[in-house]
Amino acid sequence: MNLSCSQWQDNSESVKHFAFAKFSAAAEQCLLLFTLILLMFLASLTGNALIALAICTNPTLHTPMYFFLANLSLLEIGYTCSVIPKMLQSLVSEARGISREGCATQMFFFTLFAISECCLLAAMAFDRYMAICSPLHYATRMSRGLCAQLAVVSWAVGCVVGLGQTNYIFSLNFCGPCEIDHFFCDLPPILALACGDTSRNEAAVFVVAVLCISSPFLLIIASYGRILAAVLIMPSPEGRRKALSTCSSHLLVVTLFYGSGSVTYLRPKASHSPGTDKLLALFYTVVTSMLNPIIYSLRNKEVKAALWRTLWKKSFNSRVGTEGLCRSAL
């Protein structure tokens, strides 16, 4: 049974529980949205899990580019799992509540995976820069140790930023209303419920967004500027085509992720509206995570071949196991 905000709130204390706003009052619309989001969520989980598994189990893909791609797939899995299950519950159930601790936990993991992905996309751009602009030194400079360090730094930055932002925001008191006008515990809608002056917290969110979104993006732009300059002076059209082909998937993923994230967190507060914020959040939490494995598998022959080998191997092992059971039974 869902409790009302008045039952959760003690007038002498900060709000201890929150409730997510309803997407729609019409049950049919909520059911349709639940079905669509569930299908996209399952497609995202399946696609990203298959890519990570294919890269881990195929030695031919044990290269820096695919190492970073496997990390990206794991980030996408965590990213969607931190938000979507609770949102699906809110769509079909009256139990739309979440505790203060649960909300803080969701915000931490969402921020961790989002910031880590920003940093990892920059590391992937640097990898492409080294592969195209310094091909003779690529194998020595992009060693396994350096790739592991870049991945660890990406995850560590996300963890530090997630902890810092979550602690800073949840050190505030929340006087009510306790309804979050969103479908997960994102930074701006939670700040809107805080008591008193939150200008310092809003400034901190903006500064972190600039540093952790804009800085990696500028590194990506710089890397691709050098890549473009190197491609333009290549004498072979085939070489230019191959170089651009290896970058196209990453560029498309960067555009989708950074485009929606920048519009959400870097635009002025006065231009924010709950409806627009929800649509943008739905795009970068569900749609981009579903599209990423499709983009990489459709535009990369090695990934497609590895996926087919992984799926065929699983199917073959399952068939052999079934036949063995049948023979032993006979």
Side-chain angles (χ1 to χ4, degrees):
M1 182 177 179
N2 191 36
L3 298 175
S4 66
C5 291
S6 60
Q7 289 174 289
W8 285 338
Q9 185 174 349
D10 186 327
N11 291 330
S12 63
E13 295 182 1
S14 177
V15 171
K16 299 300 183 184
H17 289 78
F18 300 98
F20 296 112
K22 276 191 172 183
F23 275 82
S24 171
E28 296 80 6
Q29 292 180 1
C30 288
L31 184 60
L32 176 61
L33 196 57
F34 172 86
T35 305
L36 291 174
I37 293 174
L38 177 62
L39 290 174
M40 288 190 288
F41 176 56
L42 294 176
S44 173
L45 288 183
T46 303
N48 283 296
L50 281 174
I51 283 185
L53 181 63
I55 291 172
C56 291
T57 56
N58 286 271
T60 57
L61 299 184
H62 291 177
T63 63
M65 182 174 74
Y66 296 114
F67 169 76
F68 289 128
L69 180 55
N71 272 270
L72 180 65
S73 294
L74 294 176
L75 282 172
E76 293 288 3
I77 292 172
Y79 193 63
T80 54
C81 287
S82 66
V83 173
I84 305 304
K86 187 65 179 177
M87 179 177 63
L88 291 172
Q89 180 192 10
S90 299
L91 280 169
V92 294
S93 170
E94 288 299 318
R96 293 178 288 110
I98 186 170
S99 67
R100 182 186 176 109
E101 293 76 16
C103 192
T105 301
Q106 187 183 61
M107 180 182 289
F108 164 71
F109 280 109
F110 171 77
T111 307
L112 184 160
F113 293 123
I115 298 300
S116 298
E117 185 163 340
C118 289
C119 297
L120 190 71
L121 288 172
M124 294 173 78
F126 176 71
D127 171 68
R128 292 299 84 207
Y129 159 73
M130 292 298 299
I132 294 171
C133 298
S134 301
L136 297 178
H137 304 287
Y138 177 72
T140 55
R141 292 182 178 175
M142 291 302 294
S143 63
R144 288 188 176 183
L146 178 61
C147 293
Q149 289 173 15
L150 290 173
V152 168
V153 168
S154 298
W155 286 82
V157 170
C159 187
V160 170
V161 172
L163 279 173
Q165 287 284 61
T166 303
N167 285 331
Y168 194 37
I169 289 175
F170 280 89
S171 65
L172 298 169
N173 287 325
F174 299 94
C175 304
C178 67
E179 185 172 85
I180 304 170
D181 198 4
H182 210 44
F183 58 81
F184 70 98
C185 294
D186 201 3
L187 305 173
I190 293 297
L191 272 176
L193 304 180
C195 307
D197 182 20
T198 60
S199 57
R200 289 186 179 181
N201 302 83
E202 291 167 5
V205 171
F206 183 77
V207 168
V208 169
V210 169
L211 291 175
C212 297
I213 295 178
S214 299
S215 297
F217 185 68
L218 290 175
L219 290 174
I220 293 170
I221 294 296
S223 297
Y224 276 107
R226 298 292 298 274
I227 288 171
L228 182 60
V231 168
L232 290 176
I233 61 174
M234 286 181 179
S236 167
E238 179 64 22
R240 289 197 295 270
R241 186 198 65 78
K242 186 176 180 180
L244 292 174
S245 177
T246 62
C247 299
S248 58
S249 298
H250 180 255
L251 273 174
L252 188 52
V253 169
V254 167
T255 302
L256 290 172
F257 183 79
Y258 273 96
S260 56
S262 299
V263 172
T264 300
Y265 295 104
L266 296 180
R267 75 184 195 274
K269 182 182 177 183
S271 63
H272 281 259
S273 69
T276 304
D277 289 348
K278 287 178 187 178
L279 285 175
L280 287 169
L282 197 62
F283 185 82
Y284 64 72
T285 54
V286 184
V287 179
T288 57
S289 297
M290 179 191 69
L291 291 177
N292 285 356
I294 297 174
I295 291 168
Y296 274 104
S297 61
L298 289 180
R299 300 187 63 85
N300 191 303
K301 293 180 180 179
E302 291 178 313
V303 173
K304 280 193 289 188
L307 285 173
W308 279 115
R309 283 196 299 270
T310 302
L311 291 173
W312 184 85
K313 188 186 299 182
K314 280 185 167 292
S315 175
F316 176 77
N317 290 340
S318 176
R319 189 166 58 251
V320 169
T322 304
E323 290 174 354
L325 287 173
C326 291
R327 282 195 293 267
S328 63
L330 292 172

